[in-house]
Amino acid sequence: MDTSQYLDMFIEESKEHLQSCNEHLLELEKNPEDLAIVNEIFRSAHTLKGMSATMGYTDIADLTHTMENILDAIRNNKLKVTTEIFDVVLQAVDYLEEMVLDIAAGGTGKKDVRQVVEVLNRIEAGETTTVSKSSLEVAATTVEDINKGAGLHYDDFEMTVLSQSFEQGYTAHELTIRLRDDCILKAARAFMVFEILEKSGDIIKSIPNVQKLENEEFEEEFVVVLITKESAEVIQAKIMKVSEVVEVLAVPITTESLLLGKRSREEEQSTGNTVAIAKDSDNLAVSTRATSSGNKTIRVNIERLDDLMNLFEELVIDRGRLESIATEIRHTELTETVERMARVSGDLQSIILNMRMIPVETVFNRFPKMVRQLARDLDKKINLEIVGAETELDRTVIDEIGDPLVHLIRNALDHGIETPAERIAKGKPEEGTVTLRAYHSGNHVFIELEDDGAGVNRKAVLKKALSSGIITEEVAESLTDRQVAELILASGFSTADKISDVSGRGVGLDVVKSTIESLGGFISIESKEGEGSLFQVQLPLTLSIISVMLVKLAKEIYAIPLSSIIETAIIQTSDIMNAHNQKVIDFRGSIVPLVNLKEIFEMPNLDANDDGFQSVIIVRKGGKLAGLVVDTFIGQQEIVLKSLGNYLKSVFAISGATILGNGQVALIVDCNALIK
């Protein structure tokens, strides 16, 4: 029977069943006597076994069958749930996920899981067994990895180089380097690996290429082809010394493997990448499933969604041009037609943006297992609570927010939550609580990470900030607790006495801050020493089309995002005061510093239009305010955000550009960069 037509459905449903297994296993660990949870896990495993057997993926079926036996013994009270059983079953689920992902990538889904199967069989037989996760990982090697030498494509030049190297007594290896799942600085780790390998031989190829590695356009793994005279074991040992490298697989390249790879590539069929975005049945939906009566979804390539968005962005630009023309001509019929077009395109915009929205649970789902493992590594008891996982964000934002959240969570676990003994001594429950929540508010999504740990030590932070020259003694005395807490976001700031394998409070938090701000958001911190901390991240719903206030500076037009604006005001020049060499105004009882945009952008004739009044836009970044001085307010408009490209991405206080209705280019002001 030809089952290829059901492959996409198999992959998506397998992912759903494995996610269900993960969630219920973590729930079972908290409630080991609840057999209803065991039954849920058993049903998911049983369904996966049946599907994989039907599709011909016997390795998945066999491993699932063995895991199913353990679950059956637990639900029939033949086995008691223990930590050791949890570790092995969770590892088995991890292997199943890897096998399904391998199938999704066009592989065979085969994996050597004999050791984990053997351990599961011993557990079923009632034998006491202790096995480390690392030993299981070393023993499990995919068949695809073993055949990597036949998997990469080499052009004629690379084939010649390899052949000549073999003749001169060199060996060649395909090195698959895997980083930790929560690695933040992937590009830096890749650079360190390359630095080591270049001292050991010649690199002739990498997957992905060097440019993509530098831009971190890869997951946790990358492949490097090395010609060397050193043994594979020596190379592996050197690379494993790089921080956050968890596995190095060396596959020798031979003339036979190259020829085998060339033949197998000729037989491969290319497959397209798809995206699964589940919506309710009443809305437009995109998924990898076939259309069915229960869930009306269709398969759509992710690139098509991007193309659709790009075309609509052009339509928005043309709409703005038509609105500008209609205003100038003042033709009744044209004006009515343009207004109708604006309404229809507005509805279309909502639909397209809705199609690109994905629940944040796609990011949050990876955290429970990570927290469980880190808590064990740190010898702490930690409960992770997730609230609002159904909150939706634009796919572009989702793609970028994962790593910053991983780092914040690791910091909370390592330096926020105390050890059980310390918590008991403080009169707290020995189990710490970390809450991850998401919710909508206006045109923003807020993601909060709250812990009931030690909080930020004010004295330690101020001491470090003073010694590092970040602040002065005079400034330190006037800082609020919130301002002190946010000092840990400064570059390289850390109060840790020693470097931790898990994290260092402040180390890398400047990267978290810069990543969030590059998305048009910001991060704030509230902390009470001895009681805990709250990290709040504010993000825009989408990065594609935004509402702005257009303003004029001399002869140029600039755009200021409405999401940053509190209000606009016309003030008298005489109301401007000076404090510490800074112009300020009294805004509703608060002293707000003024920022002259013409001065920031080095524009001439700063006082040419001084008629006794100043046009000011009050903007906010967290709890901080600033007044942006402009020449003229033009009005509000929806614009398409365009990148400035690699050459201009470091321009101060400019986050992008847009094309206005009259064809003029307007630069978009980065308010976060102007508020200190």
Side-chain angles (χ1 to χ4, degrees), residues 32-33 43 56 84 136 140-141 146-147 159-160 171-172 194 314 343 363-364 375 408 558 638 656 658 663:
E33 303 299 325
R43 275 195 288 270
E84 290 73 20
L136 289 174
T141 305
I146 295 173
N147 291 324
M159 294 276 281
T160 301
T171 59
F194 269 63
E314 296 300 321
R343 289 194 298 271
V363 177
F364 286 7
L408 290 177
Y558 287 78
E638 283 192 336
T658 189

mmCIF file with all atom_site columns, all heavy atoms in Angstrom, residues 32-33 43 56 84 136 140-141 146-147 159-160 171-172 194 314 343 363-364 375 408 558 638 656 658 663:
data_model
loop_
_atom_site.group_PDB
_atom_site.id
_atom_site.type_symbol
_atom_site.label_atom_id
_atom_site.label_alt_id
_atom_site.label_comp_id
_atom_site.label_asym_id
_atom_site.label_entity_id
_atom_site.label_seq_id
_atom_site.pdbx_PDB_ins_code
_atom_site.Cartn_x
_atom_site.Cartn_y
_atom_site.Cartn_z
_atom_site.occupancy
_atom_site.B_iso_or_equiv
_atom_site.pdbx_formal_charge
_atom_site.auth_seq_id
_atom_site.auth_comp_id
_atom_site.auth_asym_id
_atom_site.auth_atom_id
_atom_site.pdbx_PDB_model_num
ATOM 1   N N   . PRO A 1 32  ? 2.215   11.064 40.931 1.00 0.00 ? 32  PRO A N   1
ATOM 2   C CA  . PRO A 1 32  ? 2.558   9.700  40.507 1.00 0.00 ? 32  PRO A CA  1
ATOM 3   C C   . PRO A 1 32  ? 1.475   8.656  40.757 1.00 0.00 ? 32  PRO A C   1
ATOM 4   O O   . PRO A 1 32  ? 1.514   7.573  40.168 1.00 0.00 ? 32  PRO A O   1
ATOM 5   C CB  . PRO A 1 32  ? 3.822   9.388  41.318 1.00 0.00 ? 32  PRO A CB  1
ATOM 6   C CG  . PRO A 1 32  ? 3.778   10.310 42.481 1.00 0.00 ? 32  PRO A CG  1
ATOM 7   C CD  . PRO A 1 32  ? 3.100   11.542 42.005 1.00 0.00 ? 32  PRO A CD  1
ATOM 8   N N   . GLU A 1 33  ? 0.497   8.962  41.585 1.00 0.00 ? 33  GLU A N   1
ATOM 9   C CA  . GLU A 1 33  ? -0.560  7.999  41.884 1.00 0.00 ? 33  GLU A CA  1
ATOM 10  C C   . GLU A 1 33  ? -1.775  8.162  40.974 1.00 0.00 ? 33  GLU A C   1
ATOM 11  O O   . GLU A 1 33  ? -2.722  7.378  41.057 1.00 0.00 ? 33  GLU A O   1
ATOM 12  C CB  . GLU A 1 33  ? -0.998  8.144  43.350 1.00 0.00 ? 33  GLU A CB  1
ATOM 13  C CG  . GLU A 1 33  ? 0.129   7.985  44.362 1.00 0.00 ? 33  GLU A CG  1
ATOM 14  C CD  . GLU A 1 33  ? 0.776   6.607  44.285 1.00 0.00 ? 33  GLU A CD  1
ATOM 15  O OE1 . GLU A 1 33  ? 0.042   5.633  44.007 1.00 0.00 ? 33  GLU A OE1 1
ATOM 16  O OE2 . GLU A 1 33  ? 1.995   6.523  44.490 1.00 0.00 ? 33  GLU A OE2 1
ATOM 17  N N   . ARG A 1 43  ? -2.507  5.998  25.846 1.00 0.00 ? 43  ARG A N   1
ATOM 18  C CA  . ARG A 1 43  ? -3.301  6.146  24.622 1.00 0.00 ? 43  ARG A CA  1
ATOM 19  C C   . ARG A 1 43  ? -2.493  6.829  23.522 1.00 0.00 ? 43  ARG A C   1
ATOM 20  O O   . ARG A 1 43  ? -2.538  6.426  22.358 1.00 0.00 ? 43  ARG A O   1
ATOM 21  C CB  . ARG A 1 43  ? -4.584  6.927  24.923 1.00 0.00 ? 43  ARG A CB  1
ATOM 22  C CG  . ARG A 1 43  ? -5.720  6.056  25.442 1.00 0.00 ? 43  ARG A CG  1
ATOM 23  C CD  . ARG A 1 43  ? -7.049  6.806  25.377 1.00 0.00 ? 43  ARG A CD  1
ATOM 24  N NE  . ARG A 1 43  ? -7.117  7.852  26.386 1.00 0.00 ? 43  ARG A NE  1
ATOM 25  C CZ  . ARG A 1 43  ? -7.598  7.657  27.619 1.00 0.00 ? 43  ARG A CZ  1
ATOM 26  N NH1 . ARG A 1 43  ? -8.031  6.464  27.972 1.00 0.00 ? 43  ARG A NH1 1
ATOM 27  N NH2 . ARG A 1 43  ? -7.642  8.654  28.478 1.00 0.00 ? 43  ARG A NH2 1
ATOM 28  N N   . GLY A 1 56  ? 5.180   1.980  8.128  1.00 0.00 ? 56  GLY A N   1
ATOM 29  C CA  . GLY A 1 56  ? 6.405   1.231  7.856  1.00 0.00 ? 56  GLY A CA  1
ATOM 30  C C   . GLY A 1 56  ? 7.616   1.690  8.644  1.00 0.00 ? 56  GLY A C   1
ATOM 31  O O   . GLY A 1 56  ? 8.737   1.252  8.367  1.00 0.00 ? 56  GLY A O   1
ATOM 32  N N   . GLU A 1 84  ? 14.032  7.271  38.242 1.00 0.00 ? 84  GLU A N   1
ATOM 33  C CA  . GLU A 1 84  ? 14.801  6.547  37.227 1.00 0.00 ? 84  GLU A CA  1
ATOM 34  C C   . GLU A 1 84  ? 13.918  6.160  36.040 1.00 0.00 ? 84  GLU A C   1
ATOM 35  O O   . GLU A 1 84  ? 14.328  6.280  34.875 1.00 0.00 ? 84  GLU A O   1
ATOM 36  C CB  . GLU A 1 84  ? 15.434  5.281  37.838 1.00 0.00 ? 84  GLU A CB  1
ATOM 37  C CG  . GLU A 1 84  ? 16.563  5.538  38.823 1.00 0.00 ? 84  GLU A CG  1
ATOM 38  C CD  . GLU A 1 84  ? 16.067  6.082  40.154 1.00 0.00 ? 84  GLU A CD  1
ATOM 39  O OE1 . GLU A 1 84  ? 14.872  5.909  40.458 1.00 0.00 ? 84  GLU A OE1 1
ATOM 40  O OE2 . GLU A 1 84  ? 16.884  6.697  40.875 1.00 0.00 ? 84  GLU A OE2 1
ATOM 41  N N   . LEU A 1 136 ? 23.044  7.181  27.557 1.00 0.00 ? 136 LEU A N   1
ATOM 42  C CA  . LEU A 1 136 ? 22.047  6.858  26.544 1.00 0.00 ? 136 LEU A CA  1
ATOM 43  C C   . LEU A 1 136 ? 22.275  7.662  25.282 1.00 0.00 ? 136 LEU A C   1
ATOM 44  O O   . LEU A 1 136 ? 22.146  7.168  24.173 1.00 0.00 ? 136 LEU A O   1
ATOM 45  C CB  . LEU A 1 136 ? 20.643  7.127  27.087 1.00 0.00 ? 136 LEU A CB  1
ATOM 46  C CG  . LEU A 1 136 ? 20.131  6.179  28.168 1.00 0.00 ? 136 LEU A CG  1
ATOM 47  C CD1 . LEU A 1 136 ? 18.789  6.684  28.683 1.00 0.00 ? 136 LEU A CD1 1
ATOM 48  C CD2 . LEU A 1 136 ? 20.002  4.767  27.655 1.00 0.00 ? 136 LEU A CD2 1
ATOM 49  N N   . ALA A 1 140 ? 23.054  6.251  21.377 1.00 0.00 ? 140 ALA A N   1
ATOM 50  C CA  . ALA A 1 140 ? 22.036  6.415  20.337 1.00 0.00 ? 140 ALA A CA  1
ATOM 51  C C   . ALA A 1 140 ? 22.585  7.245  19.193 1.00 0.00 ? 140 ALA A C   1
ATOM 52  O O   . ALA A 1 140 ? 22.806  8.418  19.327 1.00 0.00 ? 140 ALA A O   1
ATOM 53  C CB  . ALA A 1 140 ? 20.801  7.090  20.925 1.00 0.00 ? 140 ALA A CB  1
ATOM 54  N N   . THR A 1 141 ? 22.803  6.603  18.061 1.00 0.00 ? 141 THR A N   1
ATOM 55  C CA  . THR A 1 141 ? 23.327  7.272  16.869 1.00 0.00 ? 141 THR A CA  1
ATOM 56  C C   . THR A 1 141 ? 22.409  6.972  15.706 1.00 0.00 ? 141 THR A C   1
ATOM 57  O O   . THR A 1 141 ? 22.092  5.821  15.435 1.00 0.00 ? 141 THR A O   1
ATOM 58  C CB  . THR A 1 141 ? 24.742  6.753  16.555 1.00 0.00 ? 141 THR A CB  1
ATOM 59  O OG1 . THR A 1 141 ? 25.563  6.927  17.695 1.00 0.00 ? 141 THR A OG1 1
ATOM 60  C CG2 . THR A 1 141 ? 25.336  7.507  15.382 1.00 0.00 ? 141 THR A CG2 1
ATOM 61  N N   . ILE A 1 146 ? 25.363  7.930  10.630 1.00 0.00 ? 146 ILE A N   1
ATOM 62  C CA  . ILE A 1 146 ? 26.383  6.973  10.216 1.00 0.00 ? 146 ILE A CA  1
ATOM 63  C C   . ILE A 1 146 ? 26.687  7.118  8.731  1.00 0.00 ? 146 ILE A C   1
ATOM 64  O O   . ILE A 1 146 ? 27.810  6.953  8.280  1.00 0.00 ? 146 ILE A O   1
ATOM 65  C CB  . ILE A 1 146 ? 25.914  5.530  10.530 1.00 0.00 ? 146 ILE A CB  1
ATOM 66  C CG1 . ILE A 1 146 ? 25.801  5.370  12.050 1.00 0.00 ? 146 ILE A CG1 1
ATOM 67  C CG2 . ILE A 1 146 ? 26.860  4.503  9.953  1.00 0.00 ? 146 ILE A CG2 1
ATOM 68  C CD1 . ILE A 1 146 ? 25.190  4.075  12.482 1.00 0.00 ? 146 ILE A CD1 1
ATOM 69  N N   . ASN A 1 147 ? 25.659  7.467  7.981  1.00 0.00 ? 147 ASN A N   1
ATOM 70  C CA  . ASN A 1 147 ? 25.830  7.601  6.532  1.00 0.00 ? 147 ASN A CA  1
ATOM 71  C C   . ASN A 1 147 ? 26.043  9.044  6.097  1.00 0.00 ? 147 ASN A C   1
ATOM 72  O O   . ASN A 1 147 ? 25.812  9.389  4.946  1.00 0.00 ? 147 ASN A O   1
ATOM 73  C CB  . ASN A 1 147 ? 24.600  7.029  5.812  1.00 0.00 ? 147 ASN A CB  1
ATOM 74  C CG  . ASN A 1 147 ? 24.510  5.533  5.956  1.00 0.00 ? 147 ASN A CG  1
ATOM 75  O OD1 . ASN A 1 147 ? 25.519  4.851  5.966  1.00 0.00 ? 147 ASN A OD1 1
ATOM 76  N ND2 . ASN A 1 147 ? 23.300  5.021  6.101  1.00 0.00 ? 147 ASN A ND2 1
ATOM 77  N N   . MET A 1 159 ? 35.297  17.320 -4.612 1.00 0.00 ? 159 MET A N   1
ATOM 78  C CA  . MET A 1 159 ? 35.635  15.904 -4.816 1.00 0.00 ? 159 MET A CA  1
ATOM 79  C C   . MET A 1 159 ? 37.112  15.757 -5.166 1.00 0.00 ? 159 MET A C   1
ATOM 80  O O   . MET A 1 159 ? 37.794  14.844 -4.681 1.00 0.00 ? 159 MET A O   1
ATOM 81  C CB  . MET A 1 159 ? 34.773  15.319 -5.935 1.00 0.00 ? 159 MET A CB  1
ATOM 82  C CG  . MET A 1 159 ? 33.290  15.235 -5.624 1.00 0.00 ? 159 MET A CG  1
ATOM 83  S SD  . MET A 1 159 ? 32.848  13.758 -4.697 1.00 0.00 ? 159 MET A SD  1
ATOM 84  C CE  . MET A 1 159 ? 32.830  12.543 -6.000 1.00 0.00 ? 159 MET A CE  1
ATOM 85  N N   . THR A 1 160 ? 37.631  16.663 -5.994 1.00 0.00 ? 160 THR A N   1
ATOM 86  C CA  . THR A 1 160 ? 39.045  16.617 -6.388 1.00 0.00 ? 160 THR A CA  1
ATOM 87  C C   . THR A 1 160 ? 39.950  16.863 -5.190 1.00 0.00 ? 160 THR A C   1
ATOM 88  O O   . THR A 1 160 ? 40.951  16.164 -4.983 1.00 0.00 ? 160 THR A O   1
ATOM 89  C CB  . THR A 1 160 ? 39.329  17.671 -7.479 1.00 0.00 ? 160 THR A CB  1
ATOM 90  O OG1 . THR A 1 160 ? 38.490  17.412 -8.603 1.00 0.00 ? 160 THR A OG1 1
ATOM 91  C CG2 . THR A 1 160 ? 40.791  17.612 -7.912 1.00 0.00 ? 160 THR A CG2 1
ATOM 92  N N   . THR A 1 171 ? 43.271  12.299 6.099  1.00 0.00 ? 171 THR A N   1
ATOM 93  C CA  . THR A 1 171 ? 41.924  11.744 6.295  1.00 0.00 ? 171 THR A CA  1
ATOM 94  C C   . THR A 1 171 ? 40.926  12.892 6.288  1.00 0.00 ? 171 THR A C   1
ATOM 95  O O   . THR A 1 171 ? 41.292  14.047 6.535  1.00 0.00 ? 171 THR A O   1
ATOM 96  C CB  . THR A 1 171 ? 41.807  10.984 7.627  1.00 0.00 ? 171 THR A CB  1
ATOM 97  O OG1 . THR A 1 171 ? 42.124  11.877 8.705  1.00 0.00 ? 171 THR A OG1 1
ATOM 98  C CG2 . THR A 1 171 ? 42.745  9.790  7.642  1.00 0.00 ? 171 THR A CG2 1
ATOM 99  N N   . ALA A 1 172 ? 39.685  12.559 6.008  1.00 0.00 ? 172 ALA A N   1
ATOM 100 C CA  . ALA A 1 172 ? 38.627  13.581 5.993  1.00 0.00 ? 172 ALA A CA  1
ATOM 101 C C   . ALA A 1 172 ? 37.473  13.113 6.858  1.00 0.00 ? 172 ALA A C   1
ATOM 102 O O   . ALA A 1 172 ? 37.149  11.916 6.886  1.00 0.00 ? 172 ALA A O   1
ATOM 103 C CB  . ALA A 1 172 ? 38.164  13.843 4.564  1.00 0.00 ? 172 ALA A CB  1
ATOM 104 N N   . PHE A 1 194 ? 35.347  26.607 14.782 1.00 0.00 ? 194 PHE A N   1
ATOM 105 C CA  . PHE A 1 194 ? 36.116  26.828 13.558 1.00 0.00 ? 194 PHE A CA  1
ATOM 106 C C   . PHE A 1 194 ? 37.565  27.184 13.886 1.00 0.00 ? 194 PHE A C   1
ATOM 107 O O   . PHE A 1 194 ? 38.497  26.746 13.207 1.00 0.00 ? 194 PHE A O   1
ATOM 108 C CB  . PHE A 1 194 ? 35.474  27.952 12.730 1.00 0.00 ? 194 PHE A CB  1
ATOM 109 C CG  . PHE A 1 194 ? 34.458  27.470 11.743 1.00 0.00 ? 194 PHE A CG  1
ATOM 110 C CD1 . PHE A 1 194 ? 33.300  26.835 12.172 1.00 0.00 ? 194 PHE A CD1 1
ATOM 111 C CD2 . PHE A 1 194 ? 34.653  27.615 10.385 1.00 0.00 ? 194 PHE A CD2 1
ATOM 112 C CE1 . PHE A 1 194 ? 32.357  26.379 11.276 1.00 0.00 ? 194 PHE A CE1 1
ATOM 113 C CE2 . PHE A 1 194 ? 33.721  27.155 9.470  1.00 0.00 ? 194 PHE A CE2 1
ATOM 114 C CZ  . PHE A 1 194 ? 32.568  26.538 9.917  1.00 0.00 ? 194 PHE A CZ  1
ATOM 115 N N   . GLU A 1 314 ? 3.138   45.952 -0.391 1.00 0.00 ? 314 GLU A N   1
ATOM 116 C CA  . GLU A 1 314 ? 3.170   46.839 -1.556 1.00 0.00 ? 314 GLU A CA  1
ATOM 117 C C   . GLU A 1 314 ? 1.801   47.489 -1.771 1.00 0.00 ? 314 GLU A C   1
ATOM 118 O O   . GLU A 1 314 ? 1.707   48.661 -2.158 1.00 0.00 ? 314 GLU A O   1
ATOM 119 C CB  . GLU A 1 314 ? 3.580   46.044 -2.802 1.00 0.00 ? 314 GLU A CB  1
ATOM 120 C CG  . GLU A 1 314 ? 4.991   45.482 -2.750 1.00 0.00 ? 314 GLU A CG  1
ATOM 121 C CD  . GLU A 1 314 ? 6.040   46.574 -2.610 1.00 0.00 ? 314 GLU A CD  1
ATOM 122 O OE1 . GLU A 1 314 ? 5.872   47.638 -3.241 1.00 0.00 ? 314 GLU A OE1 1
ATOM 123 O OE2 . GLU A 1 314 ? 7.013   46.369 -1.862 1.00 0.00 ? 314 GLU A OE2 1
ATOM 124 N N   . ARG A 1 343 ? -11.131 50.476 3.507  1.00 0.00 ? 343 ARG A N   1
ATOM 125 C CA  . ARG A 1 343 ? -11.862 49.580 4.413  1.00 0.00 ? 343 ARG A CA  1
ATOM 126 C C   . ARG A 1 343 ? -11.625 48.115 4.049  1.00 0.00 ? 343 ARG A C   1
ATOM 127 O O   . ARG A 1 343 ? -11.370 47.281 4.920  1.00 0.00 ? 343 ARG A O   1
ATOM 128 C CB  . ARG A 1 343 ? -13.356 49.900 4.381  1.00 0.00 ? 343 ARG A CB  1
ATOM 129 C CG  . ARG A 1 343 ? -13.731 51.216 5.052  1.00 0.00 ? 343 ARG A CG  1
ATOM 130 C CD  . ARG A 1 343 ? -15.234 51.298 5.290  1.00 0.00 ? 343 ARG A CD  1
ATOM 131 N NE  . ARG A 1 343 ? -15.984 51.263 4.039  1.00 0.00 ? 343 ARG A NE  1
ATOM 132 C CZ  . ARG A 1 343 ? -16.307 52.335 3.329  1.00 0.00 ? 343 ARG A CZ  1
ATOM 133 N NH1 . ARG A 1 343 ? -15.929 53.544 3.753  1.00 0.00 ? 343 ARG A NH1 1
ATOM 134 N NH2 . ARG A 1 343 ? -17.000 52.231 2.211  1.00 0.00 ? 343 ARG A NH2 1
ATOM 135 N N   . VAL A 1 363 ? 6.612   28.102 21.759 1.00 0.00 ? 363 VAL A N   1
ATOM 136 C CA  . VAL A 1 363 ? 7.880   28.390 22.433 1.00 0.00 ? 363 VAL A CA  1
ATOM 137 C C   . VAL A 1 363 ? 7.849   27.869 23.869 1.00 0.00 ? 363 VAL A C   1
ATOM 138 O O   . VAL A 1 363 ? 8.796   27.245 24.344 1.00 0.00 ? 363 VAL A O   1
ATOM 139 C CB  . VAL A 1 363 ? 8.166   29.904 22.440 1.00 0.00 ? 363 VAL A CB  1
ATOM 140 C CG1 . VAL A 1 363 ? 9.451   30.210 23.202 1.00 0.00 ? 363 VAL A CG1 1
ATOM 141 C CG2 . VAL A 1 363 ? 8.275   30.430 21.019 1.00 0.00 ? 363 VAL A CG2 1
ATOM 142 N N   . PHE A 1 364 ? 6.737   28.096 24.557 1.00 0.00 ? 364 PHE A N   1
ATOM 143 C CA  . PHE A 1 364 ? 6.626   27.726 25.972 1.00 0.00 ? 364 PHE A CA  1
ATOM 144 C C   . PHE A 1 364 ? 6.725   26.213 26.199 1.00 0.00 ? 364 PHE A C   1
ATOM 145 O O   . PHE A 1 364 ? 7.177   25.778 27.259 1.00 0.00 ? 364 PHE A O   1
ATOM 146 C CB  . PHE A 1 364 ? 5.297   28.229 26.545 1.00 0.00 ? 364 PHE A CB  1
ATOM 147 C CG  . PHE A 1 364 ? 5.253   29.717 26.775 1.00 0.00 ? 364 PHE A CG  1
ATOM 148 C CD1 . PHE A 1 364 ? 6.280   30.538 26.359 1.00 0.00 ? 364 PHE A CD1 1
ATOM 149 C CD2 . PHE A 1 364 ? 4.160   30.301 27.418 1.00 0.00 ? 364 PHE A CD2 1
ATOM 150 C CE1 . PHE A 1 364 ? 6.233   31.910 26.565 1.00 0.00 ? 364 PHE A CE1 1
ATOM 151 C CE2 . PHE A 1 364 ? 4.111   31.667 27.632 1.00 0.00 ? 364 PHE A CE2 1
ATOM 152 C CZ  . PHE A 1 364 ? 5.148   32.473 27.203 1.00 0.00 ? 364 PHE A CZ  1
ATOM 153 N N   . ALA A 1 375 ? 16.576  21.953 37.348 1.00 0.00 ? 375 ALA A N   1
ATOM 154 C CA  . ALA A 1 375 ? 16.305  21.870 38.790 1.00 0.00 ? 375 ALA A CA  1
ATOM 155 C C   . ALA A 1 375 ? 17.067  20.694 39.406 1.00 0.00 ? 375 ALA A C   1
ATOM 156 O O   . ALA A 1 375 ? 17.627  20.812 40.510 1.00 0.00 ? 375 ALA A O   1
ATOM 157 C CB  . ALA A 1 375 ? 14.805  21.724 39.034 1.00 0.00 ? 375 ALA A CB  1
ATOM 158 N N   . LEU A 1 408 ? 16.495  34.035 30.370 1.00 0.00 ? 408 LEU A N   1
ATOM 159 C CA  . LEU A 1 408 ? 15.843  34.587 31.556 1.00 0.00 ? 408 LEU A CA  1
ATOM 160 C C   . LEU A 1 408 ? 15.437  33.477 32.525 1.00 0.00 ? 408 LEU A C   1
ATOM 161 O O   . LEU A 1 408 ? 15.588  33.612 33.749 1.00 0.00 ? 408 LEU A O   1
ATOM 162 C CB  . LEU A 1 408 ? 14.614  35.398 31.141 1.00 0.00 ? 408 LEU A CB  1
ATOM 163 C CG  . LEU A 1 408 ? 14.875  36.731 30.423 1.00 0.00 ? 408 LEU A CG  1
ATOM 164 C CD1 . LEU A 1 408 ? 13.550  37.375 30.011 1.00 0.00 ? 408 LEU A CD1 1
ATOM 165 C CD2 . LEU A 1 408 ? 15.672  37.683 31.304 1.00 0.00 ? 408 LEU A CD2 1
ATOM 166 N N   . TYR A 1 558 ? 9.842   62.073 9.250  1.00 0.00 ? 558 TYR A N   1
ATOM 167 C CA  . TYR A 1 558 ? 10.212  60.923 10.079 1.00 0.00 ? 558 TYR A CA  1
ATOM 168 C C   . TYR A 1 558 ? 8.939   60.294 10.647 1.00 0.00 ? 558 TYR A C   1
ATOM 169 O O   . TYR A 1 558 ? 7.900   60.948 10.765 1.00 0.00 ? 558 TYR A O   1
ATOM 170 C CB  . TYR A 1 558 ? 11.142  61.347 11.219 1.00 0.00 ? 558 TYR A CB  1
ATOM 171 C CG  . TYR A 1 558 ? 12.550  61.671 10.773 1.00 0.00 ? 558 TYR A CG  1
ATOM 172 C CD1 . TYR A 1 558 ? 12.840  62.895 10.166 1.00 0.00 ? 558 TYR A CD1 1
ATOM 173 C CD2 . TYR A 1 558 ? 13.582  60.763 10.956 1.00 0.00 ? 558 TYR A CD2 1
ATOM 174 C CE1 . TYR A 1 558 ? 14.127  63.201 9.749  1.00 0.00 ? 558 TYR A CE1 1
ATOM 175 C CE2 . TYR A 1 558 ? 14.877  61.058 10.543 1.00 0.00 ? 558 TYR A CE2 1
ATOM 176 C CZ  . TYR A 1 558 ? 15.145  62.272 9.940  1.00 0.00 ? 558 TYR A CZ  1
ATOM 177 O OH  . TYR A 1 558 ? 16.419  62.560 9.525  1.00 0.00 ? 558 TYR A OH  1
ATOM 178 N N   . GLU A 1 638 ? -0.705  54.217 8.769  1.00 0.00 ? 638 GLU A N   1
ATOM 179 C CA  . GLU A 1 638 ? -0.167  52.857 8.812  1.00 0.00 ? 638 GLU A CA  1
ATOM 180 C C   . GLU A 1 638 ? 0.899   52.737 7.743  1.00 0.00 ? 638 GLU A C   1
ATOM 181 O O   . GLU A 1 638 ? 0.675   53.109 6.588  1.00 0.00 ? 638 GLU A O   1
ATOM 182 C CB  . GLU A 1 638 ? -1.264  51.819 8.573  1.00 0.00 ? 638 GLU A CB  1
ATOM 183 C CG  . GLU A 1 638 ? -2.151  51.590 9.778  1.00 0.00 ? 638 GLU A CG  1
ATOM 184 C CD  . GLU A 1 638 ? -3.031  50.374 9.610  1.00 0.00 ? 638 GLU A CD  1
ATOM 185 O OE1 . GLU A 1 638 ? -3.293  49.995 8.456  1.00 0.00 ? 638 GLU A OE1 1
ATOM 186 O OE2 . GLU A 1 638 ? -3.448  49.798 10.625 1.00 0.00 ? 638 GLU A OE2 1
ATOM 187 N N   . GLY A 1 656 ? 14.379  51.586 10.968 1.00 0.00 ? 656 GLY A N   1
ATOM 188 C CA  . GLY A 1 656 ? 13.987  51.142 9.635  1.00 0.00 ? 656 GLY A CA  1
ATOM 189 C C   . GLY A 1 656 ? 13.519  52.317 8.806  1.00 0.00 ? 656 GLY A C   1
ATOM 190 O O   . GLY A 1 656 ? 13.750  53.489 9.148  1.00 0.00 ? 656 GLY A O   1
ATOM 191 N N   . THR A 1 658 ? 10.337  53.553 5.575  1.00 0.00 ? 658 THR A N   1
ATOM 192 C CA  . THR A 1 658 ? 9.097   53.223 4.877  1.00 0.00 ? 658 THR A CA  1
ATOM 193 C C   . THR A 1 658 ? 8.952   54.141 3.673  1.00 0.00 ? 658 THR A C   1
ATOM 194 O O   . THR A 1 658 ? 9.603   55.197 3.596  1.00 0.00 ? 658 THR A O   1
ATOM 195 C CB  . THR A 1 658 ? 7.874   53.360 5.801  1.00 0.00 ? 658 THR A CB  1
ATOM 196 O OG1 . THR A 1 658 ? 6.725   52.835 5.137  1.00 0.00 ? 658 THR A OG1 1
ATOM 197 C CG2 . THR A 1 658 ? 7.622   54.819 6.165  1.00 0.00 ? 658 THR A CG2 1
ATOM 198 N N   . GLY A 1 663 ? 5.720   58.724 -2.480 1.00 0.00 ? 663 GLY A N   1
ATOM 199 C CA  . GLY A 1 663 ? 6.965   58.145 -2.958 1.00 0.00 ? 663 GLY A CA  1
ATOM 200 C C   . GLY A 1 663 ? 8.176   58.512 -2.141 1.00 0.00 ? 663 GLY A C   1
ATOM 201 O O   . GLY A 1 663 ? 9.277   57.992 -2.365 1.00 0.00 ? 663 GLY A O   1
#
